[in-house]
Amino acid sequence: MEDFEWTLHREVKGEGGTALAKRMGVNETRLLDCANPNRENHRMSLELFGQILTHLPDDSRRRVLRALLAEFNYDLVVRPEAAKANPMQALLDLVAESADVTRSVHDALEDGRITSSEKFTIRREIGEVRHALDVLEQSVGKVA
């Protein structure tokens, strides 16, 4: 559960604990203590976890849920949003996202090793490619 706990902590901190706590209507100290795996009382209720997910942006929510599911050898399947792009635009978006993965992996391998933050970045980029692929698939299905 360590990867999940740290992913949740990073996403809460990334959203600015104060701002997130205000949006959620909870005490900032309680939120940060519950989300920090280094704290002795970092136990979180299911209700608080649900509130956090509700108030995180989609990308952050996706990373947290993927990390949780990965602990049990499952993967998150995101239902693609209604395709707003035509197939050509969706294909261009997919190529751009794929290039981001390539760039992230290339940059990470420059020193011959991949750090945990580089792994996090690469996994995030891969998730964005999966999403772009789903959008492409849906946009092709909408073509008459």
Side-chain angles (χ1 to χ4, degrees):
M1 295 298 278
E2 185 174 337
D3 185 50
F4 161 67
E5 290 175 341
W6 282 107
T7 300
L8 179 62
H9 177 69
R10 277 192 304 270
E11 297 304 328
V12 167
K13 294 289 283 184
E15 278 302 301
T18 304
L20 182 60
K22 283 182 182 179
R23 287 196 311 265
M24 291 172 56
V26 299
N27 180 291
E28 174 189 6
T29 304
R30 178 173 175 248
L31 173 64
L32 294 176
D33 281 349
C34 286
N36 187 346
N38 285 331
R39 300 285 180 153
E40 186 175 314
N41 60 347
H42 82 280
R43 303 286 181 220
M44 182 178 297
S45 70
L46 188 56
E47 179 184 356
L48 183 60
F49 179 63
Q51 283 182 313
I52 291 171
L53 290 178
T54 300
H55 291 88
L56 284 175
D58 286 339
D59 288 341
S60 295
R61 183 179 313 126
R62 201 172 296 126
R63 283 189 287 275
V64 169
L65 290 172
R66 277 205 171 103
L68 175 61
L69 291 171
E71 297 286 342
F72 301 98
N73 294 321
Y74 286 92
D75 196 10
L76 180 67
V77 177
V78 181
R79 286 186 232 143
E81 299 171 13
K84 298 174 186 171
N86 62 39
M88 184 55 77
Q89 183 60 51
L91 177 62
L92 291 173
D93 292 344
L94 174 61
V95 170
E97 296 296 348
S98 297
D100 289 344
V101 171
T102 303
R103 185 179 319 108
S104 295
V105 172
H106 181 267
D107 291 348
L109 291 174
E110 277 185 6
D111 61 358
R113 63 185 185 90
I114 300 177
T115 66
S116 61
S117 65
E118 290 168 333
K119 286 179 187 177
F120 178 77
T121 300
I122 292 167
R123 287 183 180 131
R124 183 185 67 227
E125 298 292 349
I126 290 171
E128 290 172 5
V129 168
R130 284 186 183 114
H131 180 70
L133 191 58
D134 290 339
V135 171
L136 174 61
E137 181 180 34
Q138 189 178 30
S139 70
V140 169
K142 297 230 182 229
V143 175

